[in-house]
Amino acid sequence: MRIGELARKTDVPPRMLRYYEEQGLVTPRRLDNGYREYDEYLVDRVRKIRGLLDAGIPTRIIGAILPCLGQTSAIVVDDPDPELRAMLVEQHDKMIERIAFFEQNRDALSRYIDAMDRAAATGD
Amino acid sequence: MRIGELARKTDVPPRMLRYYEEQGLVTPRRLDNGYREYDEYLVDRVRKIRGLLDAGIPTRIIGAILPCLGQTSAIVVDDPDPELRAMLVEQHDKMIERIAFFEQNRDALSRYIDAMDRAAATGD
DNA sequence: CTTGACCTTCACATGGGTGTGATAGTCAGA
DNA sequence: TCTGACTATCACACCCATGTGAAGGTCAAG
């Protein structure tokens, strides 16, 4: 598919898709036109990129961990790079931290909203 | 405490503490000097701000939800503002999304790291 | 009284993600 | 063949969180 369709499917503007390419996160083929041609599996990839970006993770890190986030992980394991491993472990630990942090916030918001609702029900 | 001590305790540079104040996220008292004087409870608050900021949440949103993240939530419920409620629900839902997303990534990283380790153990 | 560690404000810079507009090529359909 | 909806590249500009440095005030300790 071309850039417009991918943009629609992922809700990521073409401008950003080109930017991700510039950052090495996606590498679409080119048609004879020069038009970018995206494979279907990139839809998922772009969504993943957006999620990570929204979470404040910079493209540099995203580029490093993205190949490791596929469900078919068995494929890509062939270089026992200890540096890569360290970085993955680091990001893994950060994920755990983030989860704990968000769970707290989720619960706190939950409580607060409930309290609001109860106050509204009572106060009426 | 003064800004330097708070900076040490929270690992947030003074520059940023002043910035948070400018954004209305913390409002320290002032000594006769003009020096900022922070209450102890702000340590926690600043840590929370950092967490949210690291998670890619802009100061505008943080300012809105911060008062609702305290453990003593019962105190602050007195204005049944439907707009505020909507925003809180929205942020609450986003927290849930984020958690799910991070859990996926955590698991994927976990799997990948395990695979690396197994490959290394076998390949040796 | 001076030094040094703190604090103040102000201002300018930077980096990353994003918006926007200019200019131009491609191509399907009326 | 021309129009309109795509696409391309390039460039400038923005927002926001941060860094950094200048110029100066406060205050405790030597």
Side-chain angles (χ1 to χ4, degrees):
Chain A
M1 85 199 74
R2 287 177 311 182
I3 201 169
E5 191 180 344
L6 181 58
R8 256 172 278 120
K9 284 190 183 174
T10 59
D11 210 47
V12 171
R15 168 72 175 87
M16 284 299 100
L17 294 175
R18 299 195 185 100
Y19 177 66
Y20 300 161
E21 181 179 357
E22 189 187 312
Q23 300 302 307
L25 304 181
V26 284
T27 314
R29 285 172 289 111
R30 293 299 182 121
L31 300 177
D32 295 347
N33 306 353
Y35 287 14
R36 291 168 178 81
E37 178 71 7
Y38 295 89
D39 290 333
E40 191 63 30
Y41 78 95
L42 290 175
V43 173
D44 234 65
R45 194 186 180 94
V46 168
R47 294 217 180 99
K48 223 167 267 178
I49 293 171
R50 269 257 50 91
L52 294 168
L53 228 31
D54 284 344
I57 299 170
T59 53
R60 212 195 112 267
I61 304 283
I62 296 178
I65 69 175
L66 206 47
C68 315
L69 293 181
Q71 52 284 32
T72 55
S73 56
I75 298 178
V76 210
V77 186
D78 51 348
D79 56 344
D81 182 348
E83 261 192 67
L84 173 61
R85 188 186 185 281
M87 128 94 71
L88 293 180
V89 170
E90 187 192 331
Q91 291 302 321
H92 176 261
D93 291 350
K94 281 193 187 173
M95 292 287 171
I96 290 176
E97 274 177 43
R98 284 188 248 259
I99 290 168
F101 181 71
F102 284 137
E103 281 175 342
Q104 269 179 237
N105 290 141
R106 177 199 57 190
D107 294 345
L109 285 176
S110 229
R111 272 197 302 276
Y112 194 91
I113 293 167
D114 281 359
M116 279 184 86
D117 290 351
R118 263 181 282 113
T122 308
D124 270 351
Chain B
M1 83 201 72
R2 287 177 312 182
I3 201 170
E5 192 181 342
L6 181 58
R8 257 171 277 122
K9 284 189 182 173
T10 59
D11 211 48
V12 171
R15 169 71 175 89
M16 283 299 101
L17 294 175
R18 298 194 187 100
Y19 176 67
Y20 299 162
E21 181 179 356
E22 190 186 312
Q23 302 300 310
L25 304 181
V26 285
T27 313
R29 284 173 291 111
R30 292 301 182 118
L31 300 177
D32 294 348
N33 304 353
Y35 287 14
R36 290 169 177 81
E37 177 70 9
Y38 294 88
D39 290 332
E40 191 63 31
Y41 78 94
L42 290 175
V43 173
D44 235 65
R45 192 184 180 97
V46 168
R47 293 218 181 98
K48 221 167 270 177
I49 293 171
R50 271 257 50 89
L52 294 167
L53 230 29
D54 285 344
I57 298 169
T59 53
R60 212 196 112 268
I61 304 284
I62 296 179
I65 69 175
L66 206 47
C68 316
L69 293 181
Q71 52 284 30
T72 55
S73 56
I75 298 178
V76 211
V77 188
D78 50 349
D79 58 344
D81 183 347
E83 261 193 69
L84 174 61
R85 187 185 184 283
M87 127 94 70
L88 293 180
V89 169
E90 187 192 331
Q91 291 303 318
H92 176 262
D93 291 350
K94 280 194 188 171
M95 291 289 169
I96 291 176
E97 275 177 43
R98 284 188 247 259
I99 291 169
F101 181 70
F102 285 137
E103 280 174 344
Q104 268 179 239
N105 290 138
R106 178 200 55 192
D107 294 345
L109 285 176
S110 227
R111 272 196 303 275
Y112 194 91
I113 293 167
D114 281 0
M116 279 185 85
D117 290 352
R118 261 181 284 114
T122 307
D124 269 352

